[in-house]
Amino acid sequence: MNFQKLIQLFISTVLVISCAPQKNPPKIRIVDEVVVDPVRNRKTITPGKNDSTEVRAQITLKKKEIFNREFFYGFDLQYSSVYDADGDLYNQSLAMGHVPAFFRKAGSELHLIADQRRLYPSDVNHPEQLISRYRILFETADTLTVSEANSAAYIGAMMDTKSSTVKDRWARSFEYVENGNYLLQETSVVLASGDVLEVLESVFPKVAIVPSSKFELFKMDPNDPVGASEGPAARYRLLAGEAIFNGEEKLAYAQHFDIHDSLTGELKTIDWYVTPNIKDEHLPVVKDAVEGWNRYFRKFSGIERDVVLFKGRMPEGMKLGDPRFNIINWDSRLVAGSAYESQANDPFTGKQSHSLIYMPVAWFQIGMDYWKYGQYTDAVTATDQDQPKKIRMKHARPACMRELSGVAQAIHSGRMSQAEVEKFSAQLMKQTLFHEVGHALGLAHNFKGSLSFDRSDSASIFSTSIMDYNDYEIERAAFFDAPAVMGDGPSLEYDRQALSALYNGMKDVGITDPLVPVCNDAEADTEANGVVDPLCIRYDLEKDPTLSVETALKRVAEETVSGDVTLAQAMDQVTRSTFVPSALQKLTTKQEAISFYRNYLQRIKGVMHFHFLGGKASLSRAVRTNLKSLRIFAMDVLPEEYSEQSMRERAFAGVKTVLEMVSLPEILKKKITSISLSVPQSLLQTPALSAMGASDAEALIETLVADTLTLVNVFENDESRGLPRLRAGVLASIARSEELPYFYGQLGSNLYDFETNMAQFLYENLINALRTSGERMASARGLVTYKGRNGSNRLISLAISKLNQEQALARTNDARELVFALKTALMAKKQ
């Protein structure tokens, strides 16, 4: 699934405040603290802490320090029972941002009111919103003693409308922090759906995150599809906050930390903590990933020191979501779909208060599970079948959700031994966290980083940016194997330049430094004006993305490919790494031998699935993502070194080849036949088969040989995991888009009409009764999108006529019902 840049829930006022710190920032002073009757005994939300039996329920505030002052309110999601099926995770650890607010006394209540002026272009029409109600328990001329905040209605309003009603709420903690003058409250709410949200609410004076004099503001244009109009923000596609109004003008500011003290101007560090439940062996990996960004800061002119520091586990009393701290939530789940980062800032300036990163241990564990169980299917990262509900928090989507399924597929590539896979898992965890910390520092995605990679050049680095969605396997080069200092690795040019722009005034970017290619989520997803950028693709890994189509075809059809690993070679690697003497000697029973061999076949299926269907560089993905090259290009989008004609021809050849691929390439058939003739014989030397009679052992080998040979038949005919699924995926992808038309025109001496080509492909697969029902239905639904275009009505009429003939000859109810469904799809209205 595609995830856009972080959408912040809260944004602040229109005017940019002065960077000069106030000499005497306002304080909320507590003159008394009273603990009243304890609330229900509930577990604290910080892993590893003891249960709390008392909650402070009152705080006394000075009136002169809370009225006529500007504050920020925020609430961060800590943990929840809200299941997100798309991300295959429970929503948690989301920094929801800050909204400007002020206090007002209303009878027996103290209200916290959201200042909404930033959300409207009018200077009079900006209706305020009530955030929190505090009951006033005691009042003097100078003070108010209040109960904990009731923000249930406001928090509920931020939920999906179908479940926004709050059925219950309670406070789990309520405290004042003198250092920075923070009111912090851990609140739980129960939605109408029954889901429980645990949040950390915070209220603090606006001046707590006033920028230093050295903090640079990057004004961005939210109406620009790339989020910026000029300067470094445009050059590097920095991560922007939500749009706000300044009169009729919409604007946003790039989000980043302030690495200088707002009062003294001295350089300070960006500190990170991790939740206490992390295992000791994972701490070095986290430290490497977090402090990997110091490879740039150490070399920046005027900085020349470590800036990003990992401080270890959260100390006692620190709360997840406290806006003073950057925290990695280490989830013990072995099955989870993503890792992600979110952040909160002052959208007056873009100055960031804190970041939260969600990191499941599944990134590490998946390697061991693969080798233990021999799995290759999506079951490794499947969603919880007993959790079908899908509830979203409004606007609370992180900047990036890095998919764990891609890791599973990379492990199934067959390119690595067991020891390499176990090492790979730790590397994946490191480079993924490295990527997420990059978002926290203010870098958006750059999906053109991989254009620097030349597969034919062994010295070519994988990308100019860890902020690209890179090939997981090759991305391991982001860190040196034996670093001289913590987190060291190659300097990725985009990351180096963008970080210098954010934190060092571009002092480290010279006039001779390259202007690195860049594109972000908005550009990768844009359908503006009916044009595309064919070089802006997620998970591509070639200097020309269409070259990945040729590479993917060679991987499955040839014995060897220069500078790469083919499917045939991957099968050999799986065989070598499985049939080692030490493993064979452990097989003492017939059932152990059978399970061992069938697990091996599962791994063979896994590498086939990886190369054809599942991997980020698979044939399926390469062909479908490069359909962009068959659309209308944005003007002047291709640099001079690219050939539009060649790109279009490579992309089209990929579509045509896949749709004609009805059998496995000969090299793979020979490889599987070779496996069936030799590999099962390896079991004859095991204790299990040695103890069997000759005839029984021979019969068992014959059974295993038959199992091996069925791989060809299954992969050629299984519409859920084989070539039919490959073809169906491409057929579904070539449906016509009104917003993004296919190219029609002259290139060189050739005239290209890809729209007509695609309609013809869909027609031919639809009327072919030998195709699977999935392929034919994808074809019918695709063909109807061409209705009214260039002879497509004639094709639809011909298809219906042929389907009528097929229906008349149908000999089973299933066959007749399929034809009826296909005709129904063809006669549906064009969407």
Side-chain angles (χ1 to χ4, degrees):
M1 88 185 159
N2 292 333
F3 294 100
Q4 303 294 328
K5 65 184 178 180
L6 173 63
I7 303 174
Q8 290 179 282
L9 173 62
F10 300 118
I11 50 180
S12 51
T13 62
V14 177
L15 301 178
V16 179
I17 67 170
S18 168
C19 290
Q22 296 187 24
K23 294 183 178 179
N24 297 304
K27 292 185 177 180
I28 307 171
R29 300 186 186 279
I30 297 180
V31 298
D32 193 16
E33 299 176 357
V34 180
V35 176
V36 294
D37 294 338
V39 298
R40 288 164 284 187
N41 180 17
R42 297 185 180 276
K43 289 186 181 294
T44 61
I45 75 148
T46 302
K49 290 184 63 176
N50 295 326
D51 291 350
S52 173
T53 56
E54 291 184 335
V55 175
R56 178 184 296 136
Q58 305 179 193
I59 289 179
T60 300
L61 309 172
K62 278 192 173 183
K63 292 181 180 178
K64 68 177 182 179
E65 304 296 355
I66 62 171
F67 295 130
N68 300 314
R69 303 284 190 182
E70 292 180 291
F71 293 87
F72 275 131
Y73 168 84
F75 78 90
D76 285 19
L77 183 68
Q78 297 172 316
Y79 300 102
S80 82
S81 64
V82 179
Y83 182 69
D84 183 341
D86 286 346
D88 188 15
L89 49 83
Y90 292 89
N91 285 329
Q92 53 190 295
S93 310
L94 286 172
M96 307 290 284
H98 304 306
V99 59
F102 58 90
F103 283 102
R104 175 191 294 151
K105 184 174 179 292
S108 61
E109 292 184 333
L110 177 66
H111 289 174
L112 183 66
I113 308 293
D115 184 343
Q116 304 281 70
R117 288 175 293 178
R118 73 210 182 276
L119 301 181
Y120 298 90
S122 171
D123 61 352
V124 292
N125 182 40
H126 42 80
E128 65 186 31
Q129 186 172 7
L130 177 64
I131 298 175
S132 305
R133 300 173 182 268
Y134 299 81
R135 288 187 301 116
I136 298 175
L137 304 177
F138 308 102
E139 180 175 5
T140 70
D142 300 319
T143 66
L144 292 174
T145 299
V146 298
S147 67
E148 78 278 1
N150 182 349
S151 312
Y154 186 82
I155 294 173
M158 298 302 108
M159 304 302 114
D160 183 274
T161 54
K162 294 180 180 179
S163 59
S164 60
T165 303
V166 174
K167 295 172 61 177
D168 195 7
R169 58 157 288 278
W170 62 92
R172 288 172 290 116
S173 70
F174 184 41
E175 65 177 306
Y176 164 76
V177 180
E178 185 174 2
N179 181 19
N181 303 300
Y182 289 82
L183 282 174
L184 302 177
Q185 178 173 316
E186 289 179 299
T187 304
S188 293
V189 296
V190 181
L191 302 178
S193 63
D195 281 301
V196 179
L197 309 177
E198 296 184 338
V199 304
L200 189 286
E201 297 184 75
S202 59
V203 183
F204 57 90
K206 180 178 173 181
V207 295
I209 53 174
V210 65
S212 72
S213 59
K214 297 181 181 180
F215 180 84
E216 187 169 354
L217 277 65
F218 297 95
K219 184 177 177 181
M220 304 179 73
D221 180 3
N223 294 316
D224 187 321
V226 303
S229 55
E230 60 183 14
R235 179 170 175 175
Y236 300 113
R237 310 297 199 264
L238 302 177
L239 197 59
E242 192 174 344
I244 59 177
F245 281 100
N246 180 13
E248 296 297 331
E249 178 191 15
K250 270 192 174 181
L251 55 89
Y253 292 98
Q255 310 170 71
H256 57 300
F257 288 106
D258 190 345
I259 61 172
H260 294 90
D261 187 273
S262 59
L263 292 175
T264 66
E266 293 181 357
L267 190 67
K268 62 180 184 179
T269 56
I270 303 170
D271 298 337
W272 284 87
Y273 299 86
V274 67
T275 49
N277 56 322
I278 188 171
K279 293 183 178 179
D280 289 344
E281 60 262 33
H282 294 145
L283 287 170
V285 176
V286 174
K287 184 176 179 64
D288 261 0
V290 171
E291 298 189 357
W293 289 95
N294 289 321
R295 69 182 66 167
Y296 305 109
F297 285 112
R298 292 186 198 110
K299 297 179 181 179
F300 282 170
S301 175
I303 296 180
E304 299 167 346
R305 54 168 282 190
D306 288 354
V307 170
V308 186
L309 301 182
F310 177 59
K311 307 300 282 287
R313 292 182 174 90
M314 297 164 58
E316 183 73 20
M318 184 181 292
K319 296 179 173 63
L320 190 67
D322 187 324
R324 298 171 297 162
F325 305 111
N326 306 301
I327 298 174
I328 299 161
N329 178 19
W330 191 262
D331 194 346
S332 62
R333 285 204 70 194
L334 304 184
V335 178
S338 308
Y340 55 82
E341 183 271 348
S342 60
Q343 56 201 229
N345 65 13
D346 172 5
F348 285 116
T349 62
K351 177 171 176 174
Q352 194 163 302
S353 61
H354 70 297
S355 168
L356 296 178
I357 292 176
Y358 170 75
M359 193 74 194
V361 76
W363 286 85
F364 182 81
Q365 187 65 33
I366 192 171
M368 273 61 75
D369 284 349
Y370 168 69
W371 283 99
K372 181 178 180 181
Y373 301 112
Q375 297 297 307
Y376 81 96
T377 68
D378 292 339
V380 174
T381 55
T383 57
D384 294 299
Q385 297 303 311
D386 60 343
Q387 297 287 344
K389 52 185 180 295
K390 178 181 174 183
I391 304 171
R392 300 286 178 92
M393 299 187 71
K394 287 182 181 177
H395 311 301
R397 301 305 299 172
C400 163
M401 295 185 74
R402 202 160 145 102
E403 298 173 356
L404 188 58
S405 60
V407 179
Q409 299 300 345
I411 290 171
H412 308 324
S413 68
R415 303 177 182 211
M416 296 174 282
S417 66
Q418 178 175 354
E420 288 172 323
V421 166
E422 293 177 2
K423 181 179 179 181
F424 180 47
S425 297
Q427 290 169 326
L428 280 163
M429 186 187 300
K430 185 189 302 184
Q431 64 209 43
T432 297
L433 187 52
F434 188 40
H435 175 106
E436 301 304 343
V437 174
H439 281 307
L441 292 173
L443 275 63
H445 287 136
N446 177 12
F447 298 127
K448 286 188 176 179
S450 54
L451 297 182
S452 66
F453 180 70
D454 185 348
R455 190 177 292 277
S456 64
D457 181 0
S458 60
S460 179
I461 198 164
F462 66 93
S463 178
T464 63
S465 179
I466 195 66
M467 306 314 296
D468 200 345
Y469 281 175
N470 301 297
D471 181 290
Y472 288 114
E473 199 171 339
I474 298 177
E475 193 184 65
R476 289 181 289 172
F479 290 85
F480 294 146
D481 280 341
V485 294
M486 184 66 67
D488 206 5
S491 177
L492 306 181
E493 187 60 18
Y494 166 82
D495 295 346
R496 184 189 73 83
Q497 291 187 24
L499 208 65
S500 179
L502 282 166
Y503 294 100
N504 208 32
M506 294 190 69
K507 295 176 185 177
D508 318 285
V509 182
I511 58 175
T512 60
D513 286 339
L515 187 65
V516 289
V518 59
C519 76
N520 60 14
D521 291 90
E523 293 161 289
D525 299 327
T526 185
E527 298 179 355
N529 304 316
V531 296
V532 299
D533 182 345
L535 302 180
C536 185
I537 297 177
R538 297 175 177 85
Y539 291 110
D540 62 313
L541 191 67
E542 301 273 356
K543 59 185 179 182
D544 175 344
T546 60
L547 291 172
S548 65
V549 178
E550 290 185 347
T551 300
L553 285 167
K554 290 178 181 178
R555 281 199 197 106
V556 301
E558 299 183 12
E559 179 73 37
T560 61
V561 174
S562 178
D564 207 336
V565 179
T566 65
L567 175 51
Q569 290 174 315
M571 287 179 170
D572 288 338
Q573 167 64 19
V574 169
T575 303
R576 287 193 300 270
S577 63
T578 302
F579 288 86
V580 295
S582 59
L584 293 173
Q585 290 306 307
K586 294 178 181 178
L587 306 178
T588 58
T589 68
K590 175 182 177 181
Q591 189 55 50
E592 286 177 349
I594 293 173
S595 296
F596 179 83
Y597 190 79
R598 287 179 175 166
N599 280 341
Y600 160 71
L601 291 184
Q602 281 287 84
R603 295 189 179 110
I604 293 295
K605 292 177 187 178
V607 298
M608 294 172 69
H609 186 268
F610 172 84
H611 283 82
F612 279 101
L613 292 161
K616 298 300 184 184
S618 67
L619 179 58
S620 175
R621 188 176 185 94
V623 170
R624 289 184 290 113
T625 56
N626 279 285
L627 286 173
K628 273 192 170 186
S629 286
L630 302 180
R631 309 286 185 177
I632 304 297
F633 291 178
M635 186 163 303
D636 300 325
V637 72
L638 287 184
E640 290 183 2
E641 63 267 27
Y642 290 86
S643 166
E644 178 181 352
Q645 182 172 345
S646 297
M647 291 182 69
R648 294 192 186 282
E649 288 176 351
R650 278 193 291 265
F652 181 72
V655 174
K656 188 173 186 294
T657 302
V658 165
L659 294 181
E660 292 173 349
M661 189 177 287
V662 295
S663 62
L664 284 173
E666 284 304 311
I667 184 65
L668 299 183
K669 290 183 178 180
K670 290 179 180 179
K671 181 63 65 177
I672 293 173
T673 299
S674 174
I675 289 172
S676 70
L677 293 175
S678 60
V679 176
Q681 305 299 320
S682 302
L683 297 177
L684 290 174
Q685 306 304 316
T686 64
L689 270 70
S690 297
M692 296 172 60
S695 59
D696 289 340
E698 183 178 345
L700 176 57
I701 294 298
E702 288 180 359
T703 299
L704 298 180
V705 167
D707 287 348
T708 308
L709 292 174
T710 60
L711 287 178
V712 174
N713 180 59
V714 169
F715 208 81
E716 289 179 347
N717 297 285
D718 187 341
E719 63 180 302
S720 64
R721 305 197 186 283
L723 294 180
R725 177 177 166 184
L726 171 66
R727 296 191 298 266
V730 173
L731 288 165
S733 298
I734 64 176
R736 184 177 182 275
S737 166
E738 293 285 351
E739 295 80 15
L740 298 173
Y742 284 109
F743 175 80
Y744 174 76
Q746 190 87 18
L747 289 175
S749 59
N750 298 324
L751 179 67
Y752 296 87
D753 182 2
F754 294 121
E755 183 173 280
T756 299
N757 295 142
M758 298 304 169
Q760 187 67 33
F761 285 151
L762 291 166
Y763 167 76
E764 291 170 357
N765 282 270
L766 169 61
I767 64 171
N768 188 341
L770 297 179
R771 297 299 201 202
T772 62
S773 58
E775 293 173 80
R776 299 183 74 187
M777 185 57 69
S779 299
R781 290 169 177 165
L783 187 57
V784 78
T785 65
Y786 290 81
K787 189 176 290 186
R789 303 286 303 185
N790 300 328
S792 295
N793 286 354
R794 179 182 62 83
L795 290 179
I796 292 173
S797 296
L798 282 173
I800 292 175
S801 176
K802 290 185 177 293
L803 288 172
N804 284 333
Q805 297 174 26
E806 183 180 342
Q807 185 172 355
L809 297 174
R811 291 294 178 264
T812 66
N813 185 65
D814 286 346
R816 184 174 62 181
E817 289 301 313
L818 172 60
V819 174
F820 179 77
L822 294 173
K823 290 197 301 181
T824 300
L826 282 176
M827 292 184 285
K829 289 185 179 181
K830 181 179 177 181
Q831 297 298 315

